[in-house]
Amino acid sequence: MTSEIKQRITQLNNGEVPNGYEKTEFGIFPCDWVKDKTFGDLFDFYGGLGKSRDELGDEGHAYLHYGDLHRGAFNVVSHEQYERLPKYDVALKGTETYLMEDGDVAFLDASEDLEGTSCAVLIDNPDNEPFIAGLHIIYGKSKDESLEKWYKQYITSSESVRKQFQRLAAGFKVYGVNRDTLPRIQVAYPKSTEEQSIIAEILMKWDEAIELQEQYIQTLLSMKITYVDKFFCAPGEEKTKFDLLYKTAGEGGTPDTKKQAYYDSEDVPFVKIEHLAEKYITKIDSYISNLGLQKSGAWLVPENCLIFSNGATIGEASINKIPVATKQGILGIVPSDVIDVEYFYYLVKSKYFLSKVKKITTKGTMCTAYLKDINRLSLFIHEKEDQIKIAKILSSIDCLIEDEKRKVDLLKKQRKALQQYLLNGIVRVEV
């Protein structure tokens, strides 16, 4: 970052207007940018064809459902993505107003969160094949050539535009914009479509890098699943009962004072199901407090033990690196000498183990697999030496996945900064 750009950012943070920039009611932008246009000046807006998911199938014309747009899986919807979209089978007469063409921009008219109100995608449809704007979709068709096609995919990404969407969104539990409010959004952009094109190209490179990195992570995750399925597939005799795998075990909310140690300290956090999303639990500061939990009957699980859900999310598991207390729906396991704790972790998350547990899980409002039933399961367990080798292989893949996720996070932070600086003209590109 050049000293000039740093100075510009400092001035903006201090509420000052840098030389060559102009303050408007919706932001500060370069003097030579267009700043007097609204979405209503740039687009004609049309509504979608409202069909439920049940009415869609694999045959017919590509249909952009608001759920696909809200997930934010893409900035552009192209022919390559048509196969991933649902279809609606309808005979077209040629007079339909819900068909999107190349260069159109699709917006959401409803979202459960304010951030989602500014979701939009560019329609890349150069052959103008029939493409249906679906339920809760409003799409804009450019009135002129003011905006370069690829720049339009970022038209709602600038902070100034997102804030306007959030300010105009109406609703209580569901927020929405409509064909009356959308045209009021004010927008600033470079006069030169060549400058717009360069900005879009830069941001697209980062989007591509993020997409490739996420695809690589999915490849690693698939590889891990393959290894887990290979290692845990009962290649030998299933002669080990589950209750031989641990010294002690406890379920939250089911005290047995003869066998269990109970929570009696204000310094031990409670574990909830959502904490089991990570492999290791290292700290849960928000749950360390004086809540009078001594009489709860929760079991205290020492560090370096296995904890996993025996409720609706059976298969979620972690290795706690600090002492934790169990909540209802969570099993705490102190492994015996016959099993390695990391091997144990991968075992309880494997299809092999989960398929066995599924057979003993109670059905109803609250699915539960009781410890007394799990104890009777017969399992194939590798020799201790092999357990350690298997855990090491799977842990190395996990570490690699975490490293690659951090790279994605870094790319996303870089892209966010680039997006902010390029779309409000803090950083200018050479034309």
Side-chain angles (χ1 to χ4, degrees):
M1 185 181 293
T2 66
S3 58
E4 182 183 359
I5 293 173
K6 288 181 180 178
Q7 181 184 7
R8 205 174 287 161
I9 292 171
T10 301
Q11 287 179 294
L12 290 169
N13 289 338
N14 292 333
E16 303 171 11
V17 180
N19 290 334
Y21 288 74
E22 181 181 345
K23 186 173 184 178
T24 72
E25 63 182 46
F26 64 101
I28 298 174
F29 305 97
C31 292
D32 61 346
W33 276 28
V34 177
K35 299 175 288 294
D36 60 349
K37 298 293 184 182
T38 64
F39 276 4
D41 296 321
L42 298 171
F43 299 101
D44 288 319
F45 292 99
Y46 300 88
L49 177 65
K51 298 295 176 182
S52 68
R53 283 282 190 188
D54 293 340
E55 296 176 272
L56 307 179
D58 298 325
E59 301 293 331
H61 307 296
Y63 182 100
L64 184 61
H65 190 275
Y66 77 97
D68 297 304
L69 176 52
H70 193 274
R71 279 193 290 272
F74 33 67
N75 292 326
V76 178
V77 182
S78 64
H79 291 294
E80 290 75 17
Q81 292 158 318
Y82 277 14
E83 291 184 3
R84 293 161 49 186
L85 296 173
K87 308 293 188 299
Y88 182 65
D89 199 3
V90 60
L92 300 176
K93 300 177 181 178
T95 57
E96 292 79 8
T97 60
Y98 51 74
L99 296 179
M100 300 180 291
E101 298 179 321
D102 189 49
D104 292 346
V105 181
F107 302 85
L108 275 177
D109 77 354
S111 173
E112 293 182 358
D113 56 80
L114 281 173
E115 190 67 30
T117 58
S118 58
C119 280
V121 295
L122 171 70
I123 305 303
D124 179 29
N125 187 13
D127 295 327
N128 288 325
E129 294 183 3
F131 189 10
I132 300 172
L135 182 66
H136 292 305
I137 297 292
I138 299 172
Y139 74 94
K141 192 176 292 295
S142 293
K143 290 183 175 181
D144 54 36
E145 303 299 320
S146 297
L147 297 177
E148 192 267 342
K149 172 183 171 179
W150 298 106
Y151 184 81
K152 283 188 281 187
Q153 66 182 295
Y154 302 107
I155 197 68
T156 66
S157 298
S158 69
E159 186 176 357
S160 62
V161 170
R162 291 204 322 272
K163 285 182 176 179
Q164 291 179 73
F165 266 94
Q166 293 172 13
R167 188 167 60 248
L168 291 171
F172 177 54
K173 291 186 177 180
V174 176
Y175 303 94
V177 293
N178 54 49
R179 287 158 67 182
D180 292 324
T181 54
L182 266 175
R184 291 155 53 188
I185 301 287
Q186 296 174 289
V187 61
Y189 56 90
K191 288 181 183 178
S192 165
T193 54
E194 187 177 353
E195 184 174 352
Q196 295 174 26
S197 179
I198 296 171
I199 290 172
E201 185 178 351
I202 293 170
L203 293 176
M204 287 166 69
K205 285 185 182 298
W206 253 260
D207 286 338
E208 183 181 357
I210 291 169
E211 183 179 357
L212 289 173
Q213 189 68 19
E214 289 178 336
Q215 287 175 358
Y216 179 49
I217 290 171
Q218 287 303 312
T219 300
L220 292 174
L221 288 169
S222 297
M223 181 176 72
K224 176 186 169 182
I225 291 171
T226 300
Y227 273 109
V228 170
D229 289 345
K230 179 180 179 181
F231 290 138
F232 300 102
C233 62
E237 185 180 354
E238 296 176 307
K239 60 182 180 180
T240 305
K241 295 289 187 182
F242 186 86
D243 60 4
L244 295 177
L245 301 179
Y246 63 85
K247 295 177 182 177
T248 54
E251 298 173 275
T254 56
D256 181 347
T257 53
K258 294 180 180 179
K259 297 182 180 179
Q260 301 175 3
Y262 293 98
Y263 175 86
D264 59 0
S265 167
E266 297 170 11
D267 298 324
V268 179
F270 269 90
V271 172
K272 290 187 174 183
I273 301 296
E274 54 263 34
H275 298 139
L276 304 184
E278 300 294 331
K279 181 177 179 181
Y280 299 112
I281 291 178
T282 55
K283 65 177 182 176
I284 317 172
D285 291 339
S286 61
Y287 289 91
I288 300 177
S289 60
N290 183 9
L291 299 175
L293 299 171
Q294 295 92 326
K295 300 178 181 179
S296 69
W299 186 56
L300 178 63
V301 187
E303 62 184 271
N304 293 320
C305 292
L306 181 74
I307 51 177
F308 70 95
S309 167
N310 64 331
T313 54
I314 290 170
E316 290 296 318
S318 292
I319 300 169
N320 58 308
K321 292 298 184 180
I322 56 172
V324 295
T326 58
K327 277 281 191 182
Q328 187 173 6
I330 292 182
L331 279 171
I333 302 287
V334 179
S336 67
D337 295 335
V338 303
I339 193 164
D340 175 77
V341 66
E342 293 215 2
Y343 175 89
F344 208 161
Y345 165 79
Y346 292 113
L347 169 66
V348 301
K349 293 177 72 72
S350 68
K351 288 181 182 178
Y352 167 64
F353 179 76
L354 292 176
S355 63
K356 288 179 172 290
V357 173
K358 185 177 180 180
K359 296 175 183 178
I360 59 171
T361 301
T362 61
K363 304 299 185 291
T365 308
M366 193 70 177
C367 298
T368 306
Y370 294 103
L371 180 59
K372 62 181 178 62
D373 297 318
I374 297 175
N375 280 338
R376 293 195 291 267
L377 294 177
S378 296
L379 303 167
F380 170 77
I381 303 297
H382 293 84
E383 295 297 327
K384 189 70 173 287
E385 185 178 341
D386 291 332
Q387 292 177 26
I388 295 171
K389 290 178 181 178
I390 289 170
K392 187 174 181 180
I393 292 170
L394 296 177
S395 291
S396 66
I397 298 175
D398 276 338
C399 289
L400 180 57
I401 290 171
E402 290 306 310
D403 286 344
E404 298 306 321
K405 284 181 177 179
R406 281 190 283 272
K407 291 178 184 177
V408 169
D409 290 340
L410 178 60
L411 285 169
K412 287 182 176 179
K413 287 178 182 178
Q414 291 173 344
R415 185 203 179 281
K416 185 176 181 180
L418 276 171
Q419 176 176 286
Q420 178 182 344
Y421 296 148
L422 288 170
L423 294 179
N424 64 7
I426 293 176
V427 174
R428 302 298 299 270
V429 298
E430 292 186 12
V431 177

